[in-house]
Amino acid sequence: MSPPPSPSQQRIGLPWPELNDGLEYKDIVSSSESELTTVSEFYFTKYKSSAPLLGWIQRIQNGQIQIDGEVVKDPNTVLKSGSKLVYHRLPWKEPDTPYSLDILYEDDDLIALNKPSGLQVLPGGLFQQRTLLTQLQWWFGQKDSSTGACELHPVPVHRLGRGTSGILLCAKTKLAKTKLAAYFAEGTSLVGSGNLDQNCGTGRKLTKIYRALADGIIEEDEVVIQQPIGVVRYPGVAKGLYVAFPEGKPAFSKLAVLARDRQNNCTLVKVEIQSGRPHQIRIHLAYIGHPLGTLFMLRADDQSALKQIL
């Protein structure tokens, strides 16, 4: 688990509303799609996985579809080339998720947050409003309205999995976003180039260190994993699965054993990653035969160093 906040740390976060604001999906009708195609046929053909034909007809009759800014309720409305369509998905209740965040460090350029496990960073899937990004936008929206300061647009510059807790860096300015993104990309660019330092973070302005609980006993004190990671097709998963894949992108992880619990058959490890592939730690631990038990902390440089990297 992440360490508890100190009394000096500021906590932000507003309770989630019962329902989110819904979503808008926008389309532009192409010339090939407009040939005597009705609005109901358009949506059923293009988004079959979302609803059957009768479902789309009901959505149209409910007034959830606009064509060029006008609500249409006739499913047989014929589309024209270049028309702009908007489908308004009705609000829904998203799964329960934490909303409180501790500010670990903040200055004019960046803010470092302690992200709790269970909170998604960016919108995706069922989580469209209940995200860390939303809480950031709400927090700075409140500050701007109360102080009259210039509006900021804070954004995360990297991601942590929804189930992972730890430090998340967010940029408050365009310059900070550009520099921080470059620092995160720095290590990934070295992987596979032949210039990779086995000491991993040596010479880098920013390092990423996780702690994880691995299944089984890792006897070596240090393990370096350089197995590429790629996407393979998998039934029922539209975008495929990320796995250890010889033809994937280069990836580099360095494990250091912190403690071995032989009674419970698990090993606490520190994992420093040079690259940032999706699910990298989970995949690399499974690849060496020690699947991930718990991934619970991301540690960055100390707070004074956060300012220095800019």
Side-chain angles (χ1 to χ4, degrees):
M1 296 184 297
S2 296
S6 67
S8 61
Q9 289 176 359
Q10 183 176 15
R11 175 167 288 180
I12 67 172
L14 295 174
W16 304 114
E18 184 71 13
L19 302 176
N20 61 23
D21 297 329
L23 282 178
E24 288 188 352
Y25 298 89
K26 299 180 180 181
D27 287 285
I28 298 179
V29 181
S30 67
S31 56
S32 61
E33 292 170 327
S34 65
E35 297 178 359
L36 299 179
T37 298
T38 65
V39 62
S40 58
E41 291 171 341
F42 174 87
Y43 278 104
F44 172 64
T45 301
K46 195 165 186 177
Y47 301 107
K48 286 184 178 180
S49 61
S50 177
L53 179 59
L54 288 178
W56 282 112
I57 290 175
Q58 184 177 24
R59 293 173 181 180
I60 295 167
Q61 293 174 338
N62 286 343
Q64 293 176 242
I65 308 293
Q66 287 184 339
I67 301 179
D68 296 326
E70 298 291 332
V71 175
V72 295
K73 294 189 176 183
D74 182 0
N76 295 315
T77 301
V78 177
L79 299 178
K80 298 178 181 179
S81 177
S83 289
K84 297 179 180 179
L85 304 183
V86 180
Y87 160 52
H88 298 267
R89 181 179 176 182
L90 298 177
W92 73 93
K93 182 179 180 180
E94 299 181 16
D96 292 337
T97 187
Y99 63 84
S100 293
L101 297 158
D102 296 313
I103 298 177
L104 304 178
Y105 175 84
E106 183 178 9
D107 58 26
D108 292 338
D109 299 300
L110 61 84
I111 181 170
L113 300 172
N114 184 17
K115 188 194 88 68
S117 174
L119 178 62
Q120 187 151 310
V121 174
L122 299 177
L126 293 176
F127 297 92
Q128 295 297 323
Q129 185 177 60
R130 297 187 178 190
T131 66
L132 182 143
L133 176 61
T134 299
Q135 290 292 350
L136 265 183
Q137 293 171 340
W138 287 350
W139 171 247
F140 282 97
Q142 284 184 330
K143 292 182 69 175
D144 291 338
S145 62
S146 62
T147 64
C150 295
E151 186 177 0
L152 297 173
H153 298 278
V155 292
V157 292
H158 65 108
R159 299 191 192 189
L160 292 177
R162 184 163 61 90
T164 303
S165 64
I167 297 176
L168 190 86
L169 294 183
C170 303
K172 295 168 61 176
T173 67
K174 290 183 179 179
L175 177 60
K177 178 183 177 182
T178 299
K179 286 194 172 185
L180 286 170
Y183 296 151
F184 276 104
E186 180 183 26
T188 300
S189 65
L190 294 174
V191 178
S193 67
N195 298 318
L196 185 62
D197 194 312
Q198 292 292 308
N199 291 324
C200 215
T202 302
R204 295 183 62 193
K205 295 183 176 66
L206 188 70
T207 60
K208 294 185 290 184
I209 303 174
Y210 294 75
R211 289 185 182 181
L213 194 63
D215 184 55
I217 302 300
I218 301 175
E219 298 295 348
E220 301 89 344
D221 290 335
E222 290 189 350
V223 180
V224 172
I225 309 170
Q226 300 188 65
Q227 174 64 28
I229 294 174
V231 179
V232 297
R233 293 182 178 274
Y234 191 82
V237 182
K239 296 182 179 180
L241 292 178
Y242 285 94
V243 297
F245 188 51
E247 298 178 5
K249 294 182 179 180
F252 182 100
S253 301
K254 185 177 181 180
L255 312 185
V257 171
L258 299 177
R260 298 179 179 91
D261 185 345
R262 297 188 183 276
Q263 182 177 352
N264 294 302
N265 193 37
C266 58
T267 305
L268 180 65
V269 294
K270 178 180 74 173
V271 188
E272 188 171 353
I273 61 174
Q274 188 89 354
S275 50
R277 307 302 179 197
H279 309 295
Q280 177 172 325
I281 296 175
R282 186 182 305 276
I283 292 170
H284 274 179
L285 282 173
Y287 177 75
I288 64 171
H290 296 279
L292 181 67
T294 304
L295 180 62
F296 61 87
M297 182 181 293
L298 169 65
R299 303 182 64 184
D301 297 330
D302 62 26
Q303 295 183 10
S304 61
L306 290 175
K307 179 61 179 176
Q308 294 175 6
I309 65 174
L310 291 176

